[in-house]
Structures are given as C-alpha cells and as structure tokens.
Amino acid sequence: KQNAITVLAADGSVLARYGEVKGNTVEFKNLPPHLISAVLAIEDRRFYDHFGVDPLGMARAMAVNIRAGGIVQGGSTITQQLAKNLFLSHERTYKRKIQEAMLALWLEQHLSKDEIITAYLNRVYLGSGAYGVDAASNLYFNKDVSDINLREAATLAGLFKAPSRYSPLRNPGLSKERADVVLVAMADAGYITSETAKGLADLPPSPNRKPSKGKTERYFTDWVVDGLDDLIGAPVDDLIVETTLDAGLQDHAEGVLLKYLSDYGEDKDIGQGAILLTRYDGAVITMIGGRDFSQSQFNRA
C-alpha cells in the first residue's frame, strides 16, 4: 500500500506532494546487500536458519514481558512481522502472537526466505506515509533504494523499531544514534568490520534531498508530514492535508530573509537564518528553516 500525501496552503494551493511516484516494488536482486544485512543484524539475525519462529528470541521476549508485567517486546521474526502486516491487526495480545506464529509457519512452507524478506521490505511502514524501503529511501534521501550507501541503509534499518521517533527528518540526532546501534549490530554479526562501523559512526547524517517545489516550502511540509504519525498513526488512505500556511507571506518572508543575509551576512559572519510566524492561536502561517532547502535540510525554525 503506497499512500499519496498532498499538503495544501491556506488558499488551497499545493505546497508539496509525497508518495505518489515513490515506493516501487523492488525485486530481491535489486535490494542492496548492505540493506539486507542491516535489517537482519538488528531485526532477525537467525532469519535464514529458523523455520519462521525463533524459540530463543521468543523466550527472551517473554522473560522481558514477565518482568515488565505486560507485552513490551515481541520477539517476532521477520516472517512473523510479514504475517502481521499481511493478515493481522497490530494489537499486542497473546492471542494475536499465536496467530502470527501459525501464519509465519504457513508462509515459510509456501515462500522462500528471499521471497519473504523481499515482501517484508516492500511493505514495512517506515514513517511519514512511506510504505516499503524504496518509498522511504526516496522520502529521506531523494534516491532509489538500490542507490543508498551503507550509512543510509543503517538509517533505514533503524526506523523499523519506531519510524516516527527515529525519523532523520524529525529527529536527526536520534536517527544517527539509532543508525550507530545498527552499525554496531552489523559488526557484531560479522557483516562489516568494527573499523567500518566506527568510521561511519563518526560521520554526521546528511540526507541528500532536493525541494519538490519552490525553495522553502519543504521545511514546512516536511514538518507537517513528519507530525502525521502522532496525529493519525500510519496512514491507510491517500491524504490531503489542509494547512494554515500563507503562501504569499511565505514567498515574501523568503525574499526578506535572503535580502538580509545578502546585505549583512558577510559582515556579521552569518550564513543561515530562519523565520517563523504564527497567529495568536498558534497556527503557523510562515515557516522558513534556512536560506536554501537544497543546500541544507536542517529546519532551524
């Protein structure tokens, strides 16, 4: 399920569209090996060895749940997660866990391991309306999933646990920390060396995305789309999001910011700026997070 998200200004004009041309189904042969390794390292290291259910993983999760007095850890294999995504609700009950395990055994009988992980990676929800690794790669890095590097693969794998919390758009710091955890897991599992993991962990996150319309609207629309998960959960339909942004005022404010940076930036050693205008009720009518979204995606506002 690929969902289109259209973000509108207060006058009904389109500020940005997400998702409508993203999320192509990717065959196993076109999935980057380092992405598969990252997902296996952090999600299910014994994927190619178990029969759909991992008794050791379930035992560890059950011990954690007993200590917590409720279900806080699932212990699900990738096959079980695919079964849940295909056939079940996301409620956390023991009945659903039993159903999940039975369906996982059925899937393992009818699909190969490569087919299972391919189906899972093409369907998993990764935040901001993005279903599947290709949709997420386009959203977060503006590139097809077949073109992502190891650092970006670790960032995507880190989203599986909590897409909204670890979004590189919303929480770049937390996203980097989570990606570092994935890299350590990859080294521990033998997919990469410890030196490679440490070298990549020393690099700051730098998603390379370009504006879809104009120069500064994307600071606002990314902020809006990243907040949808908290408002409505994972979207199940195409969405039209009506906002309070004043498109004319946004354009005017952008001109003002660029003029001041041009006139005074060099003398005062200032290279960036931000503008945030709200109504008295808190509604955002202008948001500019930097001088040029294509050069810096960090939202200073």
Side-chain angles (χ1 to χ4, degrees):
K1 170 68 173 172
Q2 308 300 334
N3 301 100
I5 301 176
T6 303
V7 183
L8 305 180
D11 63 0
S13 61
V14 175
L15 293 171
R17 290 188 176 92
Y18 296 79
E20 69 271 22
V21 294
K22 303 170 186 172
N24 295 321
T25 298
V26 184
E27 296 180 14
F28 180 82
K29 64 181 180 181
N30 294 324
L31 290 168
H34 46 267
L35 174 61
I36 295 174
S37 299
V39 173
L40 293 181
I42 201 69
E43 290 287 310
D44 188 359
R45 294 191 191 183
R46 288 176 15 91
F47 173 70
Y48 279 97
D49 297 321
H50 61 62
F51 50 88
V53 176
D54 186 359
L56 291 176
M58 293 184 72
R60 285 194 298 269
M62 186 170 292
V64 171
N65 294 335
I66 290 173
R67 288 196 295 270
I71 300 180
V72 296
Q73 193 174 107
S76 295
T77 65
I78 284 175
T79 312
Q80 287 174 268
Q81 293 180 53
L82 176 62
K84 176 180 66 178
N85 289 345
L86 288 175
F87 305 117
L88 300 172
S89 69
H90 288 258
E91 63 178 339
R92 288 184 168 227
T93 64
Y94 286 108
K95 176 183 177 182
R96 202 223 66 201
K97 293 297 294 183
I98 294 172
Q99 293 172 328
E100 180 184 286
M102 294 175 65
L103 287 166
L105 296 176
W106 182 87
L107 286 172
E108 290 273 350
Q109 292 294 316
H110 291 81
L111 299 175
S112 69
K113 288 287 189 179
D114 290 353
E115 288 172 332
I116 289 170
I117 195 168
T118 300
Y120 179 59
L121 292 179
N122 277 298
R123 286 170 171 81
V124 64
Y125 182 66
L126 293 173
S128 300
Y131 285 84
V133 291
D134 192 59
S137 179
N138 273 280
L139 174 64
Y140 297 124
F141 310 121
N142 198 37
K143 61 176 70 171
D144 293 338
V145 70
S146 57
D147 297 326
I148 63 173
N149 59 36
L150 178 55
R151 175 84 211 185
E152 291 162 343
T155 300
L156 289 185
L159 289 167
F160 285 54
K161 182 177 182 180
S164 179
R165 175 175 173 79
Y166 296 116
S167 165
L169 299 181
R170 171 184 288 190
N171 297 313
L174 282 177
S175 175
K176 181 186 183 304
E177 291 177 11
R178 179 63 179 165
D180 291 344
V181 170
V182 175
L183 290 168
V184 170
M186 293 180 72
D188 185 58
Y191 292 118
I192 60 175
T193 65
S194 298
E195 291 75 16
T196 298
K198 185 180 186 306
L200 290 172
D202 290 338
L203 297 176
S206 56
N208 180 24
R209 296 169 295 132
K210 299 178 182 178
S212 58
K213 177 182 181 297
K215 296 179 180 178
T216 60
E217 292 90 345
R218 275 292 295 272
Y219 290 112
F220 174 73
T221 59
D222 278 6
W223 175 69
V224 167
V225 169
D226 283 334
L228 291 178
D229 292 354
D230 291 340
L231 291 172
I232 63 173
V236 296
D237 297 300
D238 292 346
L239 299 177
I240 296 176
V241 184
E242 299 176 352
T243 75
T244 53
L245 191 84
D246 185 317
L249 191 56
Q250 176 86 5
D251 290 341
H252 176 71
E254 178 184 316
V256 171
L257 176 63
L258 293 178
K259 182 180 187 303
Y260 270 79
L261 288 175
S262 175
D263 291 348
Y264 305 109
E266 186 174 351
D267 291 341
K268 297 184 179 296
D269 194 25
I270 297 173
Q272 285 286 358
I275 294 176
L276 179 66
L277 300 176
T278 69
R279 294 199 300 249
Y280 285 114
D281 62 2
V284 175
I285 53 177
T286 291
M287 176 184 285
I288 300 176
R291 70 185 302 163
D292 189 338
F293 185 87
S294 64
Q295 294 181 6
S296 172
Q297 293 81 43
F298 176 66
N299 189 342
R300 295 158 185 83

PDB file of all heavy atoms in Angstrom, residues 45-77:
ATOM      1  N   ARG A  45      18.650 -11.923  13.249  1.00  0.00           N
ATOM      2  CA  ARG A  45      19.933 -12.457  12.780  1.00  0.00           C
ATOM      3  C   ARG A  45      19.851 -13.917  12.347  1.00  0.00           C
ATOM      4  O   ARG A  45      20.640 -14.379  11.543  1.00  0.00           O
ATOM      5  CB  ARG A  45      20.993 -12.321  13.882  1.00  0.00           C
ATOM      6  CG  ARG A  45      21.342 -10.889  14.207  1.00  0.00           C
ATOM      7  CD  ARG A  45      22.567 -10.813  15.083  1.00  0.00           C
ATOM      8  NE  ARG A  45      22.743  -9.466  15.607  1.00  0.00           N
ATOM      9  CZ  ARG A  45      23.768  -9.096  16.362  1.00  0.00           C
ATOM     10  NH1 ARG A  45      24.699  -9.982  16.691  1.00  0.00           N
ATOM     11  NH2 ARG A  45      23.847  -7.851  16.809  1.00  0.00           N
ATOM     12  N   ARG A  46      18.909 -14.649  12.897  1.00  0.00           N
ATOM     13  CA  ARG A  46      18.810 -16.076  12.579  1.00  0.00           C
ATOM     14  C   ARG A  46      17.771 -16.340  11.497  1.00  0.00           C
ATOM     15  O   ARG A  46      17.301 -17.459  11.331  1.00  0.00           O
ATOM     16  CB  ARG A  46      18.450 -16.853  13.855  1.00  0.00           C
ATOM     17  CG  ARG A  46      19.597 -16.920  14.838  1.00  0.00           C
ATOM     18  CD  ARG A  46      19.286 -17.582  16.168  1.00  0.00           C
ATOM     19  NE  ARG A  46      18.072 -18.353  16.226  1.00  0.00           N
ATOM     20  CZ  ARG A  46      17.980 -19.666  15.953  1.00  0.00           C
ATOM     21  NH1 ARG A  46      19.075 -20.328  15.577  1.00  0.00           N
ATOM     22  NH2 ARG A  46      16.843 -20.281  16.061  1.00  0.00           N
ATOM     23  N   PHE A  47      17.425 -15.287  10.718  1.00  0.00           N
ATOM     24  CA  PHE A  47      16.358 -15.391   9.726  1.00  0.00           C
ATOM     25  C   PHE A  47      16.553 -16.562   8.775  1.00  0.00           C
ATOM     26  O   PHE A  47      15.610 -17.326   8.503  1.00  0.00           O
ATOM     27  CB  PHE A  47      16.270 -14.080   8.930  1.00  0.00           C
ATOM     28  CG  PHE A  47      15.314 -14.127   7.772  1.00  0.00           C
ATOM     29  CD1 PHE A  47      13.941 -14.193   7.981  1.00  0.00           C
ATOM     30  CD2 PHE A  47      15.782 -14.140   6.460  1.00  0.00           C
ATOM     31  CE1 PHE A  47      13.051 -14.250   6.921  1.00  0.00           C
ATOM     32  CE2 PHE A  47      14.905 -14.195   5.389  1.00  0.00           C
ATOM     33  CZ  PHE A  47      13.539 -14.245   5.615  1.00  0.00           C
ATOM     34  N   TYR A  48      17.750 -16.749   8.269  1.00  0.00           N
ATOM     35  CA  TYR A  48      17.989 -17.803   7.280  1.00  0.00           C
ATOM     36  C   TYR A  48      18.182 -19.175   7.928  1.00  0.00           C
ATOM     37  O   TYR A  48      18.377 -20.172   7.229  1.00  0.00           O
ATOM     38  CB  TYR A  48      19.186 -17.453   6.405  1.00  0.00           C
ATOM     39  CG  TYR A  48      18.835 -16.478   5.293  1.00  0.00           C
ATOM     40  CD1 TYR A  48      19.054 -15.117   5.440  1.00  0.00           C
ATOM     41  CD2 TYR A  48      18.254 -16.922   4.108  1.00  0.00           C
ATOM     42  CE1 TYR A  48      18.711 -14.216   4.431  1.00  0.00           C
ATOM     43  CE2 TYR A  48      17.906 -16.040   3.095  1.00  0.00           C
ATOM     44  CZ  TYR A  48      18.137 -14.690   3.265  1.00  0.00           C
ATOM     45  OH  TYR A  48      17.793 -13.812   2.260  1.00  0.00           O
ATOM     46  N   ASP A  49      18.121 -19.242   9.268  1.00  0.00           N
ATOM     47  CA  ASP A  49      18.312 -20.514   9.960  1.00  0.00           C
ATOM     48  C   ASP A  49      17.038 -21.052  10.610  1.00  0.00           C
ATOM     49  O   ASP A  49      16.890 -22.268  10.764  1.00  0.00           O
ATOM     50  CB  ASP A  49      19.392 -20.357  11.049  1.00  0.00           C
ATOM     51  CG  ASP A  49      20.742 -19.994  10.467  1.00  0.00           C
ATOM     52  OD1 ASP A  49      21.087 -20.527   9.391  1.00  0.00           O
ATOM     53  OD2 ASP A  49      21.443 -19.159  11.071  1.00  0.00           O
ATOM     54  N   HIS A  50      16.116 -20.156  11.018  1.00  0.00           N
ATOM     55  CA  HIS A  50      14.920 -20.636  11.709  1.00  0.00           C
ATOM     56  C   HIS A  50      13.817 -21.011  10.713  1.00  0.00           C
ATOM     57  O   HIS A  50      13.943 -20.780   9.507  1.00  0.00           O
ATOM     58  CB  HIS A  50      14.416 -19.612  12.738  1.00  0.00           C
ATOM     59  CG  HIS A  50      14.010 -18.283  12.162  1.00  0.00           C
ATOM     60  ND1 HIS A  50      12.993 -18.141  11.259  1.00  0.00           N
ATOM     61  CD2 HIS A  50      14.500 -17.023  12.383  1.00  0.00           C
ATOM     62  CE1 HIS A  50      12.848 -16.872  10.948  1.00  0.00           C
ATOM     63  NE2 HIS A  50      13.753 -16.171  11.594  1.00  0.00           N
ATOM     64  N   PHE A  51      12.734 -21.558  11.228  1.00  0.00           N
ATOM     65  CA  PHE A  51      11.639 -22.059  10.396  1.00  0.00           C
ATOM     66  C   PHE A  51      10.437 -21.125  10.400  1.00  0.00           C
ATOM     67  O   PHE A  51       9.309 -21.538  10.129  1.00  0.00           O
ATOM     68  CB  PHE A  51      11.213 -23.463  10.875  1.00  0.00           C
ATOM     69  CG  PHE A  51      10.968 -23.556  12.358  1.00  0.00           C
ATOM     70  CD1 PHE A  51       9.717 -23.262  12.891  1.00  0.00           C
ATOM     71  CD2 PHE A  51      11.992 -23.925  13.215  1.00  0.00           C
ATOM     72  CE1 PHE A  51       9.494 -23.332  14.252  1.00  0.00           C
ATOM     73  CE2 PHE A  51      11.769 -24.007  14.584  1.00  0.00           C
ATOM     74  CZ  PHE A  51      10.523 -23.708  15.101  1.00  0.00           C
ATOM     75  N   GLY A  52      10.674 -19.859  10.708  1.00  0.00           N
ATOM     76  CA  GLY A  52       9.595 -18.872  10.744  1.00  0.00           C
ATOM     77  C   GLY A  52       9.332 -18.341  12.126  1.00  0.00           C
ATOM     78  O   GLY A  52       8.849 -17.224  12.303  1.00  0.00           O
ATOM     79  N   VAL A  53       9.632 -19.152  13.122  1.00  0.00           N
ATOM     80  CA  VAL A  53       9.511 -18.773  14.520  1.00  0.00           C
ATOM     81  C   VAL A  53      10.850 -19.064  15.188  1.00  0.00           C
ATOM     82  O   VAL A  53      11.453 -20.103  14.933  1.00  0.00           O
ATOM     83  CB  VAL A  53       8.389 -19.557  15.225  1.00  0.00           C
ATOM     84  CG1 VAL A  53       8.327 -19.220  16.704  1.00  0.00           C
ATOM     85  CG2 VAL A  53       7.045 -19.284  14.552  1.00  0.00           C
ATOM     86  N   ASP A  54      11.315 -18.139  16.017  1.00  0.00           N
ATOM     87  CA  ASP A  54      12.598 -18.300  16.697  1.00  0.00           C
ATOM     88  C   ASP A  54      12.340 -18.528  18.187  1.00  0.00           C
ATOM     89  O   ASP A  54      12.097 -17.581  18.929  1.00  0.00           O
ATOM     90  CB  ASP A  54      13.455 -17.054  16.494  1.00  0.00           C
ATOM     91  CG  ASP A  54      14.859 -17.211  17.065  1.00  0.00           C
ATOM     92  OD1 ASP A  54      15.150 -18.277  17.634  1.00  0.00           O
ATOM     93  OD2 ASP A  54      15.658 -16.266  16.922  1.00  0.00           O
ATOM     94  N   PRO A  55      12.359 -19.776  18.645  1.00  0.00           N
ATOM     95  CA  PRO A  55      12.058 -20.064  20.058  1.00  0.00           C
ATOM     96  C   PRO A  55      12.959 -19.309  21.026  1.00  0.00           C
ATOM     97  O   PRO A  55      12.504 -18.838  22.072  1.00  0.00           O
ATOM     98  CB  PRO A  55      12.269 -21.580  20.161  1.00  0.00           C
ATOM     99  CG  PRO A  55      12.059 -22.082  18.759  1.00  0.00           C
ATOM    100  CD  PRO A  55      12.594 -21.019  17.870  1.00  0.00           C
ATOM    101  N   LEU A  56      14.245 -19.157  20.678  1.00  0.00           N
ATOM    102  CA  LEU A  56      15.160 -18.436  21.573  1.00  0.00           C
ATOM    103  C   LEU A  56      14.759 -16.974  21.697  1.00  0.00           C
ATOM    104  O   LEU A  56      14.717 -16.413  22.788  1.00  0.00           O
ATOM    105  CB  LEU A  56      16.596 -18.553  21.051  1.00  0.00           C
ATOM    106  CG  LEU A  56      17.231 -19.944  21.126  1.00  0.00           C
ATOM    107  CD1 LEU A  56      18.619 -19.918  20.493  1.00  0.00           C
ATOM    108  CD2 LEU A  56      17.325 -20.403  22.574  1.00  0.00           C
ATOM    109  N   GLY A  57      14.433 -16.363  20.547  1.00  0.00           N
ATOM    110  CA  GLY A  57      14.007 -14.971  20.568  1.00  0.00           C
ATOM    111  C   GLY A  57      12.716 -14.785  21.333  1.00  0.00           C
ATOM    112  O   GLY A  57      12.549 -13.813  22.076  1.00  0.00           O
ATOM    113  N   MET A  58      11.777 -15.715  21.178  1.00  0.00           N
ATOM    114  CA  MET A  58      10.506 -15.626  21.880  1.00  0.00           C
ATOM    115  C   MET A  58      10.693 -15.815  23.379  1.00  0.00           C
ATOM    116  O   MET A  58      10.025 -15.149  24.183  1.00  0.00           O
ATOM    117  CB  MET A  58       9.535 -16.664  21.333  1.00  0.00           C
ATOM    118  CG  MET A  58       9.108 -16.412  19.895  1.00  0.00           C
ATOM    119  SD  MET A  58       7.866 -17.572  19.293  1.00  0.00           S
ATOM    120  CE  MET A  58       6.428 -17.018  20.215  1.00  0.00           C
ATOM    121  N   ALA A  59      11.617 -16.696  23.768  1.00  0.00           N
ATOM    122  CA  ALA A  59      11.877 -16.911  25.188  1.00  0.00           C
ATOM    123  C   ALA A  59      12.464 -15.664  25.822  1.00  0.00           C
ATOM    124  O   ALA A  59      12.077 -15.268  26.937  1.00  0.00           O
ATOM    125  CB  ALA A  59      12.826 -18.097  25.363  1.00  0.00           C
ATOM    126  N   ARG A  60      13.403 -15.022  25.107  1.00  0.00           N
ATOM    127  CA  ARG A  60      13.986 -13.783  25.644  1.00  0.00           C
ATOM    128  C   ARG A  60      12.917 -12.711  25.790  1.00  0.00           C
ATOM    129  O   ARG A  60      12.852 -12.007  26.796  1.00  0.00           O
ATOM    130  CB  ARG A  60      15.102 -13.293  24.718  1.00  0.00           C
ATOM    131  CG  ARG A  60      16.406 -14.091  24.819  1.00  0.00           C
ATOM    132  CD  ARG A  60      17.538 -13.346  24.133  1.00  0.00           C
ATOM    133  NE  ARG A  60      17.280 -13.166  22.699  1.00  0.00           N
ATOM    134  CZ  ARG A  60      17.663 -14.021  21.763  1.00  0.00           C
ATOM    135  NH1 ARG A  60      18.322 -15.116  22.099  1.00  0.00           N
ATOM    136  NH2 ARG A  60      17.404 -13.780  20.501  1.00  0.00           N
ATOM    137  N   ALA A  61      12.055 -12.572  24.784  1.00  0.00           N
ATOM    138  CA  ALA A  61      10.997 -11.559  24.828  1.00  0.00           C
ATOM    139  C   ALA A  61      10.007 -11.847  25.949  1.00  0.00           C
ATOM    140  O   ALA A  61       9.552 -10.940  26.647  1.00  0.00           O
ATOM    141  CB  ALA A  61      10.272 -11.501  23.482  1.00  0.00           C
ATOM    142  N   MET A  62       9.683 -13.124  26.149  1.00  0.00           N
ATOM    143  CA  MET A  62       8.727 -13.489  27.195  1.00  0.00           C
ATOM    144  C   MET A  62       9.289 -13.146  28.577  1.00  0.00           C
ATOM    145  O   MET A  62       8.566 -12.650  29.450  1.00  0.00           O
ATOM    146  CB  MET A  62       8.398 -14.979  27.115  1.00  0.00           C
ATOM    147  CG  MET A  62       7.309 -15.409  28.086  1.00  0.00           C
ATOM    148  SD  MET A  62       6.732 -17.098  27.767  1.00  0.00           S
ATOM    149  CE  MET A  62       5.917 -16.873  26.189  1.00  0.00           C
ATOM    150  N   ALA A  63      10.594 -13.365  28.758  1.00  0.00           N
ATOM    151  CA  ALA A  63      11.216 -13.032  30.037  1.00  0.00           C
ATOM    152  C   ALA A  63      11.127 -11.530  30.303  1.00  0.00           C
ATOM    153  O   ALA A  63      10.817 -11.090  31.414  1.00  0.00           O
ATOM    154  CB  ALA A  63      12.671 -13.485  30.049  1.00  0.00           C
ATOM    155  N   VAL A  64      11.377 -10.730  29.269  1.00  0.00           N
ATOM    156  CA  VAL A  64      11.276  -9.272  29.402  1.00  0.00           C
ATOM    157  C   VAL A  64       9.840  -8.872  29.722  1.00  0.00           C
ATOM    158  O   VAL A  64       9.590  -8.025  30.586  1.00  0.00           O
ATOM    159  CB  VAL A  64      11.757  -8.576  28.112  1.00  0.00           C
ATOM    160  CG1 VAL A  64      11.454  -7.074  28.163  1.00  0.00           C
ATOM    161  CG2 VAL A  64      13.241  -8.813  27.905  1.00  0.00           C
ATOM    162  N   ASN A  65       8.874  -9.489  29.034  1.00  0.00           N
ATOM    163  CA  ASN A  65       7.467  -9.153  29.246  1.00  0.00           C
ATOM    164  C   ASN A  65       6.996  -9.506  30.648  1.00  0.00           C
ATOM    165  O   ASN A  65       6.219  -8.776  31.265  1.00  0.00           O
ATOM    166  CB  ASN A  65       6.592  -9.859  28.202  1.00  0.00           C
ATOM    167  CG  ASN A  65       6.848  -9.357  26.793  1.00  0.00           C
ATOM    168  OD1 ASN A  65       7.290  -8.234  26.608  1.00  0.00           O
ATOM    169  ND2 ASN A  65       6.574 -10.198  25.803  1.00  0.00           N
ATOM    170  N   ILE A  66       7.452 -10.640  31.165  1.00  0.00           N
ATOM    171  CA  ILE A  66       7.060 -11.053  32.516  1.00  0.00           C
ATOM    172  C   ILE A  66       7.581 -10.054  33.534  1.00  0.00           C
ATOM    173  O   ILE A  66       6.867  -9.648  34.470  1.00  0.00           O
ATOM    174  CB  ILE A  66       7.594 -12.471  32.819  1.00  0.00           C
ATOM    175  CG1 ILE A  66       6.834 -13.505  31.970  1.00  0.00           C
ATOM    176  CG2 ILE A  66       7.459 -12.783  34.308  1.00  0.00           C
ATOM    177  CD1 ILE A  66       7.395 -14.916  32.079  1.00  0.00           C
ATOM    178  N   ARG A  67       8.837  -9.613  33.338  1.00  0.00           N
ATOM    179  CA  ARG A  67       9.397  -8.623  34.267  1.00  0.00           C
ATOM    180  C   ARG A  67       8.656  -7.293  34.162  1.00  0.00           C
ATOM    181  O   ARG A  67       8.501  -6.576  35.157  1.00  0.00           O
ATOM    182  CB  ARG A  67      10.887  -8.414  33.978  1.00  0.00           C
ATOM    183  CG  ARG A  67      11.769  -9.582  34.392  1.00  0.00           C
ATOM    184  CD  ARG A  67      13.236  -9.166  34.437  1.00  0.00           C
ATOM    185  NE  ARG A  67      13.723  -8.802  33.109  1.00  0.00           N
ATOM    186  CZ  ARG A  67      14.267  -9.660  32.255  1.00  0.00           C
ATOM    187  NH1 ARG A  67      14.381 -10.944  32.593  1.00  0.00           N
ATOM    188  NH2 ARG A  67      14.703  -9.257  31.082  1.00  0.00           N
ATOM    189  N   ALA A  68       8.183  -6.955  32.960  1.00  0.00           N
ATOM    190  CA  ALA A  68       7.506  -5.671  32.754  1.00  0.00           C
ATOM    191  C   ALA A  68       6.023  -5.733  33.110  1.00  0.00           C
ATOM    192  O   ALA A  68       5.367  -4.700  33.223  1.00  0.00           O
ATOM    193  CB  ALA A  68       7.664  -5.221  31.304  1.00  0.00           C
ATOM    194  N   GLY A  69       5.476  -6.943  33.254  1.00  0.00           N
ATOM    195  CA  GLY A  69       4.061  -7.089  33.582  1.00  0.00           C
ATOM    196  C   GLY A  69       3.135  -6.851  32.411  1.00  0.00           C
ATOM    197  O   GLY A  69       1.956  -6.549  32.588  1.00  0.00           O
ATOM    198  N   GLY A  70       3.632  -6.989  31.208  1.00  0.00           N
ATOM    199  CA  GLY A  70       2.825  -6.806  30.003  1.00  0.00           C
ATOM    200  C   GLY A  70       3.687  -7.013  28.776  1.00  0.00           C
ATOM    201  O   GLY A  70       4.895  -7.266  28.888  1.00  0.00           O
ATOM    202  N   ILE A  71       3.082  -6.933  27.591  1.00  0.00           N
ATOM    203  CA  ILE A  71       3.830  -7.168  26.354  1.00  0.00           C
ATOM    204  C   ILE A  71       4.528  -5.886  25.931  1.00  0.00           C
ATOM    205  O   ILE A  71       3.901  -4.942  25.463  1.00  0.00           O
ATOM    206  CB  ILE A  71       2.904  -7.669  25.224  1.00  0.00           C
ATOM    207  CG1 ILE A  71       2.243  -8.979  25.640  1.00  0.00           C
ATOM    208  CG2 ILE A  71       3.679  -7.851  23.930  1.00  0.00           C
ATOM    209  CD1 ILE A  71       1.314  -9.554  24.588  1.00  0.00           C
ATOM    210  N   VAL A  72       5.836  -5.852  26.123  1.00  0.00           N
ATOM    211  CA  VAL A  72       6.630  -4.693  25.704  1.00  0.00           C
ATOM    212  C   VAL A  72       7.633  -5.078  24.625  1.00  0.00           C
ATOM    213  O   VAL A  72       8.183  -4.215  23.959  1.00  0.00           O
ATOM    214  CB  VAL A  72       7.374  -4.070  26.902  1.00  0.00           C
ATOM    215  CG1 VAL A  72       6.384  -3.521  27.913  1.00  0.00           C
ATOM    216  CG2 VAL A  72       8.298  -5.084  27.568  1.00  0.00           C
ATOM    217  N   GLN A  73       7.882  -6.374  24.464  1.00  0.00           N
ATOM    218  CA  GLN A  73       8.821  -6.842  23.452  1.00  0.00           C
ATOM    219  C   GLN A  73       8.209  -8.043  22.744  1.00  0.00           C
ATOM    220  O   GLN A  73       7.667  -8.938  23.380  1.00  0.00           O
ATOM    221  CB  GLN A  73      10.162  -7.219  24.110  1.00  0.00           C
ATOM    222  CG  GLN A  73      11.286  -7.406  23.122  1.00  0.00           C
ATOM    223  CD  GLN A  73      12.617  -7.641  23.830  1.00  0.00           C
ATOM    224  OE1 GLN A  73      13.126  -8.750  23.840  1.00  0.00           O
ATOM    225  NE2 GLN A  73      13.172  -6.594  24.420  1.00  0.00           N
ATOM    226  N   GLY A  74       8.298  -8.027  21.409  1.00  0.00           N
ATOM    227  CA  GLY A  74       7.589  -9.053  20.658  1.00  0.00           C
ATOM    228  C   GLY A  74       8.361 -10.324  20.405  1.00  0.00           C
ATOM    229  O   GLY A  74       7.810 -11.407  20.435  1.00  0.00           O
ATOM    230  N   GLY A  75       9.654 -10.217  20.146  1.00  0.00           N
ATOM    231  CA  GLY A  75      10.435 -11.400  19.804  1.00  0.00           C
ATOM    232  C   GLY A  75      10.066 -11.982  18.463  1.00  0.00           C
ATOM    233  O   GLY A  75      10.323 -13.150  18.190  1.00  0.00           O
ATOM    234  N   SER A  76       9.432 -11.172  17.610  1.00  0.00           N
ATOM    235  CA  SER A  76       8.950 -11.674  16.323  1.00  0.00           C
ATOM    236  C   SER A  76      10.081 -11.774  15.306  1.00  0.00           C
ATOM    237  O   SER A  76      10.964 -10.919  15.252  1.00  0.00           O
ATOM    238  CB  SER A  76       7.865 -10.751  15.761  1.00  0.00           C
ATOM    239  OG  SER A  76       6.729 -10.750  16.584  1.00  0.00           O
ATOM    240  N   THR A  77      10.036 -12.808  14.505  1.00  0.00           N
ATOM    241  CA  THR A  77      10.929 -12.926  13.367  1.00  0.00           C
ATOM    242  C   THR A  77      10.410 -12.050  12.229  1.00  0.00           C
ATOM    243  O   THR A  77       9.283 -11.543  12.267  1.00  0.00           O
ATOM    244  CB  THR A  77      11.002 -14.373  12.876  1.00  0.00           C
ATOM    245  OG1 THR A  77       9.697 -14.745  12.369  1.00  0.00           O
ATOM    246  CG2 THR A  77      11.391 -15.321  13.995  1.00  0.00           C
TER     247      THR A  77
END
